[in-house]
Amino acid sequence: QVHVVESGGGSVQAGGSLRLSCAASGSYRNDYSMGWFRQAPGKEREGVACIAKDGQTRYQPSVEGRFTISQDNDRRTVYLQMNRLNPEDTGMYYCAVDDSDGICSIKSRYYNYWGQGTQVTVSS
């Protein structure tokens, strides 16, 4: 079993920044991919960014250039640096682990292990 814990959410004004962290433990292996997802009230969950074992990254177009996903050397902690936040970025942010071997995806169906989420609220 892989355990995933997010942290770092909070409330900021538009234009501000937040950095989310995600720690994976348990039976996690450092060749897994990790991704960030978010869900706004009344909307479906959507992929935000992911990072594969080789460091390849993918982003949702609406966050590209504003958000950066990165990882520690041991690949057990992944970060999401979010800059120039706007109210449309508000939502619950989830970290997830994809235990298949391959490139990372921002489609949730590839991820088997999920954290409880951390709330991000951006006010105008």
Side-chain angles (χ1 to χ4, degrees):
Q1 185 75 8
V2 176
H3 302 286
V4 181
V5 179
E6 307 96 335
S7 61
S11 297
V12 295
Q13 290 191 327
S17 298
L18 281 174
R19 189 193 197 202
L20 306 183
S21 298
C22 169
S25 61
S27 58
Y28 174 83
R29 289 175 11 196
N30 64 8
D31 58 351
Y32 292 165
S33 297
M34 296 181 75
W36 284 99
F37 298 80
R38 67 186 180 189
Q39 187 166 20
K43 294 188 177 181
E44 292 187 356
R45 184 170 53 191
E46 61 179 2
V48 175
C50 67
I51 187 163
K53 62 180 180 181
D54 62 357
Q56 175 200 47
T57 58
R58 292 178 185 268
Y59 296 92
Q60 181 196 110
S62 71
V63 308
E64 196 146 17
R66 300 188 297 124
F67 291 10
T68 302
I69 189 170
S70 62
Q71 58 194 18
D72 279 352
N73 287 339
D74 64 1
R75 300 202 68 246
R76 288 184 172 269
T77 303
V78 173
Y79 305 97
L80 186 68
Q81 177 67 43
M82 305 185 295
N83 299 327
R84 290 183 282 133
L85 285 160
N86 59 60
E88 290 70 38
D89 296 315
T90 294
M92 185 69 77
Y93 281 67
Y94 299 91
C95 180
V97 174
D98 172 6
D99 61 356
S100 64
D101 185 24
I103 63 174
C104 75
S105 170
I106 56 172
K107 296 184 187 299
S108 60
R109 65 176 182 266
Y110 294 106
Y111 292 79
N112 296 324
Y113 303 99
W114 293 80
Q116 294 298 307
T118 184
Q119 178 68 35
V120 172
T121 303
V122 184
S123 58
S124 58

